[in-house]
Every structure is written in structure tokens, then in C-alpha cells.
């Protein structure tokens, strides 16, 4: 079979203004997806790329009908999706196999649900196990298989129902490098040579290289809330060579889109969040990126060694960091005015050079100075200064943050703030008592500990 030319690909799935909010008890609703409009044509292999927590899994669940949008519509072949779509199958990062069923029974599951009769079910499943390289393992149990083989079962189970749409949620992230690479190539081979009837594939990933290696179209999502920031086709012929200049150039381009978007978005959210009152008249806290100070120091030293400027893509691959891990650190560097992202390069500012050359005390001083402009730190400082004993339980701040962010996000914000606060001695934190306190007056700190001991 020859793959249908792009222009003739029919309208398959349409997302119209898909928005998803999650209610928070007694708090603001959290808006995860914002006004997503997207046409998916039959025969496309789309990679959905975005930072962790941006809403990729949520979007995939909405497309397959496992979850409903709060606003907007999903059309499948021009009909609204009202419940789980039987033409779609899903492969999960965690494999999601039933441990008490054999490999064959796990693969047969989807066919049981479709009411297919026993002997046809068996033949179909055995055929798929063969296709996916697992013949001989029919009667084994998942725990007897390696991670790579378990994910093969995940693929066989999804493909057994001959889905029109195959959805994959970070299917290779839990596998070691070589296993993942083999499975990627095999899946591509099945799809390109039409060895499986499935034509349309939607893969969620946070790996830029993975997206460029596999997909013929890449859609990039932003975070908080997720919006589509880029949507383009990948013009490279298959099989793709990761070392070819075109491949490297495209990966670099995607890095630029992802990082460039972050500059702009950070600037906008910082402005609107700091100045505009939220619906209930409260001032909203600007989120801080999750950069860990030791990672920040390491990254800036590395860039300083390279002549104060280096390509983000090179830095990432050198440090074995995914975009997920690298971006929070570069965003932190930018927040502290230590570096700027320019055309896919991380460039140290004068302050950044000073930081990279400086001793620990100098580094503490520099970041401490920058923290004065961060709204979360203003809040913490204000609260601690106004308390007579200059101390406050972590839980207090957690509750404030939960007014502004989801429970999980609040926790990450506070963990990051405590990491920064402790490093710079902006405030102190005692993990045993889970108290934040100012260190201006040693006597007060002692009193705090004495009173804590008395309470025990
Ligand atoms: P991704 O797959 O891109 O990592 P998810 O779609 O899993 O992101 O989640 C996006 C955001 O929505 C996260 O902040 C997550 O905490 C939040 N979220 C996901 N599911 C729920 C839920 N059922 N209730 C509340 N918040 C949720
Ligand atoms: Mg996810």
C-alpha cells in the first residue's frame, strides 16, 4: 500500500476550542488546556511535545474520549465524541498490563471487550505477538518479562483491535536507551510499510529528538495553561539519520521554538500575574521555575568554560538532560538575570559571568539580591518579618500557594523556594520542625527551638 499524499488526507479528528479546567475545592479552578483547536488528518503521525505537567496526557484522554473537555468539542469523522472511542487504542508509559493475566490474555483483552469470539481472538492475538517479536511468550506472566518486552505487549494489545487511531503516552520513556531505540524503529517500520492497518498515530512525548525521529508533524504545547505554540511538518524522509545535518538542524530549531516560547511566555505571565488582579481581587503569585541551585551552578560553569555561550541542544545532550530537565534551569538562570536564551544558545550576562567565576559566598549574594524581585519571596519575607518570632510553618505557605496553584504545583513551588531560600540564606528552614524562619536574630531562633522542645 502506498501512503496517501498529504493533500488528499481526509479530515479525521478535529478539536474545536478544547478547554479543560479542574475544580479545586474552595479555590480557583485550574485551567490546564486553553482553547486548543487542531485538525488531525488520517495518515498522520503527530508528536505532541510539551513540558511535563503541561496537559499532554489530559489532551490525549480527551481525544480518545476517556475524558470530556470542560468547553469545546472533539469531532471524530465529523461526529462529536461523547464517550470512549472504540476506534482508538492507547499505549501507556507504565505498560498498564494486568499482572494476573498471561501475555496472551493481556493482548486479548481489547478483543474481549469488542465481543469477538474466542478462537478468532486467540488467532488474532497470536498473530500480533508474532509480529511484535513475542512468539513463545504467550503463557508467560508480565513479571517474567523485561520492560522492553512488556511494552511490546502494550503495543500488541493496542494493535489487536485494529485501531484507526493509535495513541501513545510517552511509550518509550520508561525503557533503557537501546530497547527504546529498537522499539521505535520497529513501530515505524510497521507503520511505514503498512504492516498494521492503523494509519494515524498520536504520540505524546517530552523528547525533542524522539519527536523529530518519528513524527511527520510536530505540535508543541506551552504550559500553565497548555496552548498550541507551534505546529509544523517534519520534511525529512524515513528512515531518519540522527547524525544528518538536516536532522540536527531540525532538532535545534525545535529547541529554539520551545525555549523562545518560554522567554515570551514568562515575560507575559510575569506581567499579567504581578499586575492584574485575579477574578477574586487577590494578587496572583507568579510561578517560579523549578531550577535546582546546584544544577544552575553546574550549567553556568559549563557555559563559562565554553566562552560564555553555548548551544542549548549541545548542553542538553552533554549533560544527558531532557528538555524537561534543562528548561527549568535555563528559565531560572534568566529569572536571576544570569543568562539569556538567544537563537537556541544560552548566553551568560555579565552578572552570570561574575556568578560562574565567584566563590559560594559571592554566588549566594548574587541570587539573594535577585530574589528580592520574586513575588513569592516578597511574600515569605513579609510574613516572616511580621511575625514576632520571625518563624512560620511550611504548611502555612503551602496553603497560600494552593490558593494559586494545583496541589501538586504548590508543592513543587514551595520545594523550589525552600531550595533557593536555604542556599542564599534568604531564610532558614528546619526540616525536622518544617518551619521557615529568618536568621536576623540568633536569640529568636534559639527561643523558637526552646519553645518547640517544650512542646514535645
Ligand atoms: P502531562 O501529561 O503534560 O505531564 P497532565 O495532562 O498529566 O500533563 O497534567 C496537566 C496538569 O493537570 C497537571 O498540573 C496536573 O496536576 C493537572 N491534572 C491532571 N489531572 C488532574 C485531575 N484529575 N484533577 C486535578 N488536576 C489534574
Ligand atoms: Mg503525561
Amino acid at each position: 500500500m502506498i501512503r496517501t499524499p498529504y493533500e488528499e488526507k481526509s479530515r479525521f479528528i478535529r478539536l474545536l476550542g478544547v478547554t479543560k479546567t479542574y475544580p479545586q475545592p474552595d479555590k480557583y479552578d485550574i485551567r490546564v488546556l486553553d482553547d486548543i483547536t487542531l485538525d488531525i488528518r488520517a495518515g498522520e503521525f503527530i508528536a505532541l511535545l510539551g513540558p511535563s505537567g503541561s496537559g499532554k496526557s489530559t489532551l490525549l484522554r480527551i481525544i480518545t474520549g476517556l475524558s470530556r473537555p470542560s468547553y469545546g468539542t472533539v469531532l471524530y469523522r465529523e461526529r462529536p465524541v461523547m464517550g470512549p472511542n472504540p476506534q482508538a487504542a492507547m499505549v501507556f508509559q507504565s505498560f498498564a498490563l494486568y499482572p494476573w493475566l498471561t501475555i496472551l490474555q493481556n493482548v486479548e483483552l481489547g478483543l474481549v471487550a469488542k465481543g469477538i469470539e474466542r478462537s478468532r481472538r486467540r488467532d488474532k492475538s497470536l498473530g500480533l505477538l508474532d509480529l511484535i517479536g513475542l512468539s513463545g511468550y504467550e503463557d508467560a506472566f508480565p513479571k517474567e518479562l523485561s520492560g522492553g518486552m512488556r511494552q511490546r505487549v502494550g503495543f500488541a494489545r493496542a494493535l489487536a483491535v485494529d485501531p484507526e487511531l493509535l495513541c501513545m503516552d510517552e511509550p518509550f520513556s520508561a525503557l533503557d536507551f537501546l530497547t527504546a531505540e529498537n522499539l521505535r524503529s520497529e513501530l515505524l517500520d510497521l507503520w511505514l510499510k503498512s504492516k498494521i492497518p492503523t494509519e494515524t498515530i498520536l504520540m505524546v512525548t517530552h523528547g525533542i529528538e524522539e519527536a523529530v525521529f518519528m513524527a511527520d508533524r510536530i505540535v508543541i504545547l506551552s504550559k500553565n495553561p497548555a496552548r498550541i505554540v507551534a505546529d509544523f511538518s517534519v520534511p525529512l524522509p524515513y528512515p531518519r539519520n540522527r547524525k544528518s545535518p538536516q536532522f540536527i538542524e531540525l532538532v535545534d530549531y525545535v529547541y529554539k521554538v520551545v525555549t523562545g516560547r518560554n522567554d515570551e511566555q514568562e515575560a507575559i505571565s510575569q506581567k499579567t500575574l504581578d499586575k492584574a488582579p485575579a477574578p477574586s481581587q487577590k494578587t496572583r503569585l507568579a510561578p517560579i521555575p523549578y531550577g535546582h541551585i546546584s544544577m544552575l551552578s553546574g550549567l553556568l560553569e559549563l557555559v563559562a568554560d565554553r566562552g560564555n555561550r553555548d548551544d542549548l541542544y549541545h548542553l542538553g545532550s552533554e549533560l544527558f538532560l531532557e528538555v524537561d530537565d534543562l528548561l527549568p534551569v535555563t528559565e531560572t538562570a534568566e529569572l536571576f538575570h544570569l543568562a539569556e536564551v538567544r537563537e537556541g544558545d544560552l548566553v551568560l550576562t555579565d552578572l552570570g559571568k561574575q556568578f560562574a567565576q565567584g566563590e559560594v559566598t559571592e554566588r549566594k549574594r548574587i541570587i539573594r539580591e535577585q530574589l528580592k524581585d520574586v513575588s513569592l519571596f516578597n511574600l515569605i519575607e513579609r510574613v516572616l518579618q511580621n511575625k514576632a518570632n520571625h518563624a512560620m510553618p511550611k504548611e502555612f505557605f503551602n496553603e497560600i500557594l494552593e490558593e494559586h496553584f494545583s496541589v501538586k504545583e504548590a508543592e513543587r513551588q514551595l520545594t523550589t523556594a525552600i531550595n533557593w531560600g536555604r542556599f542564599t540564606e534568604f531564610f532558614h528552614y528546619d526540616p525536622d520542625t518544617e518551619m521557615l524562619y529568618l536568621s536576623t536574630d540568633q536569640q529568636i531562633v534559639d527561643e523558637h527551638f526552646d519553645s518547640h522542645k517544650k512542646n514535645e
Side-chain angles (χ1 to χ4, degrees):
M1 200 183 93
I2 299 162
R3 303 212 75 81
T4 321
Y6 192 76
E7 314 77 60
E8 289 169 29
K9 284 171 183 169
S10 58
R11 261 189 183 160
F12 184 46
I13 298 169
R14 302 186 72 193
L15 308 186
L16 300 168
V18 167
T19 296
K20 182 76 175 179
T21 58
Y22 285 115
Q24 298 272 100
D26 309 325
K27 289 170 187 154
Y28 304 109
D29 285 359
I30 302 286
R31 181 172 293 233
V32 176
L33 302 175
D34 189 36
D35 196 17
I36 308 268
T37 291
L38 181 70
D39 262 347
I40 299 171
R41 285 168 288 259
E44 285 186 317
F45 186 147
I46 298 184
L48 264 178
L49 197 61
S52 163
S54 56
K56 303 182 296 293
S57 297
T58 304
L59 189 59
L60 212 54
R61 290 173 58 80
I62 287 175
I63 291 172
T64 53
L66 293 171
S67 164
R68 298 289 300 273
S70 311
Y71 311 97
T73 311
V74 180
L75 298 175
Y76 190 85
R77 297 197 182 282
E78 309 287 346
R79 291 219 186 90
V81 172
M82 305 301 283
N85 183 344
Q87 307 300 331
M90 183 89 102
V91 176
F92 299 94
Q93 176 184 358
S94 58
F95 320 140
L97 304 181
Y98 291 96
W100 61 88
L101 297 181
T102 65
I103 299 310
L104 184 64
Q105 288 167 334
N106 265 290
V107 175
E108 281 186 34
L109 268 186
L111 299 169
V112 175
K114 285 200 155 182
I116 290 174
E117 139 306 294
R118 198 189 167 100
S119 67
R120 266 194 59 213
R121 228 160 61 199
R122 200 184 148 81
D123 288 349
K124 177 92 196 174
S125 304
L126 286 173
L128 266 158
L129 284 175
D130 193 29
L131 186 71
I132 207 95
L134 276 180
S135 47
Y137 287 95
E138 309 69 73
D139 298 324
F141 287 91
K143 67 171 186 311
E144 300 171 58
L145 269 54
S146 68
M149 285 159 92
R150 278 186 231 173
Q151 191 56 305
R152 283 172 190 271
V153 181
F155 277 109
R157 182 180 57 195
L159 293 170
V161 298
D162 290 338
E164 288 188 324
L165 173 69
L166 177 65
C167 289
M168 312 193 287
D169 196 348
E170 310 210 13
F172 307 108
S173 333
L175 306 176
D176 67 78
F177 180 78
L178 278 180
T179 308
E181 197 63 1
N182 280 335
L183 256 182
R184 282 185 199 113
S185 301
E186 285 179 45
L187 178 73
L188 270 179
D189 188 65
L190 293 177
W191 176 69
L192 288 167
K193 298 197 177 135
S194 300
K195 293 179 185 170
I196 48 173
T198 303
E199 286 200 350
T200 314
I201 301 183
L202 205 51
M203 176 176 74
V204 157
T205 177
H206 62 253
I208 291 177
E209 274 199 54
E210 180 171 281
V212 175
F213 185 68
M214 299 189 77
D216 61 8
R217 179 174 165 198
I218 295 179
V219 174
I220 301 178
L221 295 178
S222 61
K223 191 179 171 178
N224 288 330
R227 297 194 181 105
I228 294 178
V229 290
D231 179 354
F232 51 89
S233 60
V234 180
L236 308 176
Y238 297 101
R240 292 176 182 159
N241 174 1
R242 288 177 190 269
K243 299 219 159 65
S244 80
Q246 294 87 344
F247 187 94
I248 292 170
E249 202 178 312
L250 194 58
V251 169
D252 204 33
Y253 168 73
V254 179
Y255 261 94
K256 277 175 202 169
V257 173
V258 174
T259 52
R261 176 267 303 170
N262 269 284
D263 286 350
E264 221 172 69
Q265 197 189 290
E266 194 65 27
I268 292 165
S269 63
Q270 205 75 26
K271 262 187 219 122
T272 49
L273 290 174
D274 280 348
K275 308 238 165 75
S280 72
Q281 305 302 322
K282 279 186 222 166
T283 307
R284 303 225 57 180
L285 280 176
I288 55 172
Y290 312 132
H292 201 277
I293 296 286
S294 55
M295 221 142 127
L296 177 75
S297 302
L299 182 73
L300 295 186
E301 282 170 24
L302 191 62
V303 177
D305 287 344
R306 302 282 159 79
N308 301 319
R309 175 177 192 136
D310 199 8
D311 189 286
L312 273 175
Y313 170 52
H314 286 149
L315 285 167
S317 56
E318 205 148 323
L319 297 168
F320 294 101
L321 289 180
E322 290 275 5
V323 63
D324 249 18
D325 308 317
L326 192 58
L327 280 187
V329 190
T330 59
E331 283 173 21
T332 307
E334 291 188 302
L335 179 68
F336 295 157
H337 306 290
L338 300 175
E340 284 166 19
V341 176
R342 264 187 244 145
E343 295 154 353
D345 286 357
L346 191 66
V347 186
L348 294 194
T349 59
D350 286 339
L351 192 64
K353 291 176 202 164
Q354 203 182 321
F355 179 91
Q357 311 304 337
E359 297 285 325
V360 171
T361 43
E362 173 72 352
R363 291 183 180 184
K364 285 184 183 196
R365 190 193 60 77
I366 290 173
I367 297 185
R368 199 187 155 105
E369 202 56 36
Q370 301 305 315
L371 289 179
K372 290 180 182 158
D373 296 329
V374 178
S375 55
L376 176 55
F377 281 79
N378 294 156
L379 169 84
I380 293 174
E381 187 173 36
R382 215 164 47 235
V383 169
L384 294 180
Q385 271 173 354
N386 288 336
K387 273 291 297 291
N389 66 352
H390 298 317
M392 206 65 177
K394 175 185 172 187
E395 187 50 32
F396 173 83
F397 295 105
N398 201 32
E399 276 177 20
I400 294 184
L401 282 165
E402 283 181 13
E403 296 280 331
H404 296 260
F405 306 104
S406 71
V407 172
K408 218 165 108 191
E409 181 66 23
E411 160 110 42
R412 289 191 77 166
Q413 289 284 320
L414 194 52
T415 306
T416 307
I418 289 175
N419 172 258
W420 296 359
R422 289 177 93 176
F423 173 78
T424 55
E425 296 172 47
F426 192 99
F427 55 77
H428 289 255
Y429 175 70
D430 178 357
D432 292 331
T433 58
E434 300 202 318
M435 296 285 280
L436 279 72
Y437 57 95
L438 289 181
S439 52
T440 42
D441 191 334
Q442 192 56 43
Q443 204 185 339
I444 288 166
V445 177
D446 292 343
E447 272 168 25
H448 159 65
F449 282 121
D450 288 345
S451 73
H452 183 75
K453 275 192 201 115
K454 265 178 235 150
N455 290 340
E456 276 176 350

